[in-house]
Amino acid sequence: MRFIGNKTKLLKDILKVIDENCDGKEEIFCDLFSGTTSVSRFFKNRYTIISNDMLYASYVLQMGTIKNNVIPEFKKLKKILRIYDVFDYLETEDYEKYLFEKFIYNNYSPNGKCERMYLTCENALRIDFIRNKIEEWKKRNLIDVNEYYYLLACLIEGVPFVSNITGTYGAYLKKWDKRALNKFQMVRLNVFDNKKENDCYNINANELINNVEGDILYLDPPYNQRQYPPNYHLLETIAKYDNPDIKGKTGIREYNEEKSNYCLKNLASNQLEDLIKKAKFKHIILSYNQDGILSEKEIETILKSNGISETYKIYKIP
């Protein structure tokens, strides 16, 4: 998934840092700013995972691939509705036969009453249909919690592949990008079974840190002034499907409660220090952009003053 600060390309570097500084006896890995869950997924084969993010769309991905230890079988859908391939059904069923809520189509595709070009009308309707079906099945107890979040995660992962954007949902393109014209497909997500009880959260990191502990704490906080909620508002709305009040040219939803102090120059340093002081972990690994709000010296001071200073190391990754 395209995501600001996605750490997929740094996974091997993070692993190298762990292997060079840990003794291999660590059991619990906490990913406090999980985002796309790429880090949590990568280390799930080695540790019990604690993952968290303030974005609900991220929480959906966590629940679908981190809390879940198996790809669901959807037994009730097969037995009761005779739906033997749930993905094929959701992607190809003739949605014109059904009445369903069309919030995404009405507000994020150029349908005559709306000018926003985030999605083609066909793809927006398909996403609405899928999202409604998932919710309907949940309410009818035809899918359990694990199946619900797995389907939602597969839906969310598929949206960026047909979104008419350059990278985030802060704006849409005025002409159709080639990828946006593709037919929408859900992503069949792999799920690794680490045979552990993994925990997922959707709260402020500085609050959660009071209630978790373990061996390795991985931190990847926002590093610039761009708040994540407005840049991923469409994914949040699809994940929540809560008919939010939206405004402006981009149809953004309110996000006051989800604002991060790590994006504010006058608060970022205090936020990080507060987090480090409360952390009950043996090892702390922090990823941060060299052009971020906090300087290298500020970060070094915070980490050294709240940890064993002689163990501090900095890795500069090109």
Side-chain angles (χ1 to χ4, degrees):
M1 180 183 291
R2 292 177 289 175
F3 201 78
I4 299 172
N6 191 321
K7 292 299 179 288
T8 301
K9 294 181 179 180
L10 295 182
L11 293 174
K12 291 183 179 179
D13 296 298
I14 299 169
L15 177 60
K16 178 183 177 182
V17 171
I18 290 176
D19 287 343
E20 290 182 0
N21 295 279
C22 299
D23 58 20
K25 298 179 181 179
E26 295 76 19
E27 297 181 357
I28 299 176
F29 182 100
C30 180
D31 185 7
L32 214 54
F33 301 86
S34 193
T36 64
T37 72
S38 60
V39 173
S40 290
R41 292 186 209 179
F42 183 79
F43 287 104
K44 191 181 177 186
N45 68 337
R46 290 176 58 139
Y47 309 108
T48 297
I49 301 295
I50 300 171
S51 64
N52 173 65
D53 202 278
M54 286 181 68
L55 287 180
Y56 184 73
S58 172
Y59 178 69
V60 166
L61 298 179
Q62 295 170 48
M63 290 293 290
T65 61
I66 305 303
K67 185 69 174 179
N68 241 341
N69 268 336
V70 296
I71 294 177
E73 296 182 14
F74 306 104
K75 292 181 179 180
K76 285 188 177 181
L77 291 180
K78 293 175 181 177
K79 182 178 180 180
I80 298 173
L81 299 185
R82 299 291 190 267
I83 296 175
Y84 300 105
D85 186 334
V86 64
F87 289 99
D88 180 68
Y89 172 83
L90 290 172
E91 292 171 346
T92 65
E93 177 72 359
D94 182 7
Y95 53 68
E96 292 185 359
K97 299 189 301 183
Y98 301 87
L99 292 176
F100 55 92
E101 192 174 344
K102 300 174 181 177
F103 190 86
I104 304 304
Y105 169 76
N106 288 334
N107 294 286
Y108 299 102
S109 67
N111 54 63
K113 296 180 180 179
C114 174
E115 296 181 354
R116 299 183 186 109
M117 294 176 61
Y118 279 109
L119 299 158
T120 64
C121 291
E122 180 181 354
N123 283 334
L125 283 168
R126 178 59 61 181
I127 290 168
D128 276 318
F129 171 73
I130 294 172
R131 187 63 185 85
N132 277 272
K133 275 297 173 185
I134 294 173
E135 206 64 31
E136 175 194 330
W137 291 340
K138 177 189 175 187
K139 291 177 180 177
R140 293 175 59 188
N141 293 317
L142 293 171
I143 54 176
D144 61 24
V145 172
N146 289 337
E147 292 168 332
Y148 174 75
Y149 280 110
Y150 181 73
L151 286 177
L152 277 188
C154 294
L155 169 61
I156 293 297
E157 282 277 8
V159 175
F161 289 99
V162 294
S163 294
N164 196 40
I165 58 175
T166 56
T168 75
Y169 295 86
Y172 54 84
L173 299 174
K174 295 181 179 179
K175 294 183 179 180
W176 291 113
D177 181 83
K178 184 177 179 180
R179 104 173 67 212
L181 299 177
N182 292 330
K183 184 178 180 181
F184 176 76
Q185 287 185 308
M186 301 169 72
V187 175
R188 280 69 165 163
L189 291 169
N190 291 322
V191 177
F192 180 81
D193 183 4
N194 65 355
K195 296 177 171 56
K196 308 289 185 181
E197 186 65 33
N198 308 289
D199 292 319
C200 304
Y201 298 91
N202 177 217
I203 63 177
N204 185 292
N206 284 59
E207 295 177 12
L208 179 61
I209 199 65
N210 294 304
N211 303 311
V212 295
E213 58 184 276
D215 301 299
I216 301 172
L217 175 63
Y218 176 70
L219 303 175
D220 181 27
Y223 60 85
N224 58 34
Q225 296 181 14
R226 290 187 295 178
Q227 294 280 353
Y228 278 74
N231 282 296
Y232 297 97
H233 66 92
L234 184 54
L235 298 184
E236 282 290 276
T237 295
I238 294 172
K240 292 183 175 181
Y241 216 71
D242 53 355
N243 297 303
D245 291 328
I246 60 175
K247 63 181 181 180
K249 187 173 182 179
T250 60
I252 194 171
R253 58 187 291 133
E254 293 292 339
Y255 62 97
N256 290 329
E257 295 180 2
E258 294 86 6
K259 285 183 179 179
S260 174
N261 288 334
Y262 287 93
C263 297
L264 305 176
K265 179 67 175 176
N266 62 326
L267 295 178
S269 179
N270 289 338
Q271 281 292 108
L272 180 60
E273 183 159 26
D274 174 70
L275 184 63
I276 300 299
K277 280 182 177 180
K278 295 175 179 176
K280 298 181 284 290
F281 288 81
K282 184 177 180 180
H283 304 281
I284 297 178
I285 301 172
L286 171 69
S287 293
Y288 206 77
N289 191 293
Q290 64 180 5
D291 298 320
I293 290 174
L294 296 176
S295 68
E296 181 181 321
K297 186 62 179 177
E298 285 178 293
I299 293 172
E300 180 179 348
T301 299
I302 291 171
L303 293 175
K304 280 186 173 181
S305 62
N306 292 284
I308 301 174
S309 60
E310 56 266 29
T311 64
Y312 172 83
K313 291 182 183 180
I314 182 170
Y315 291 75
K316 296 190 176 183
I317 301 170

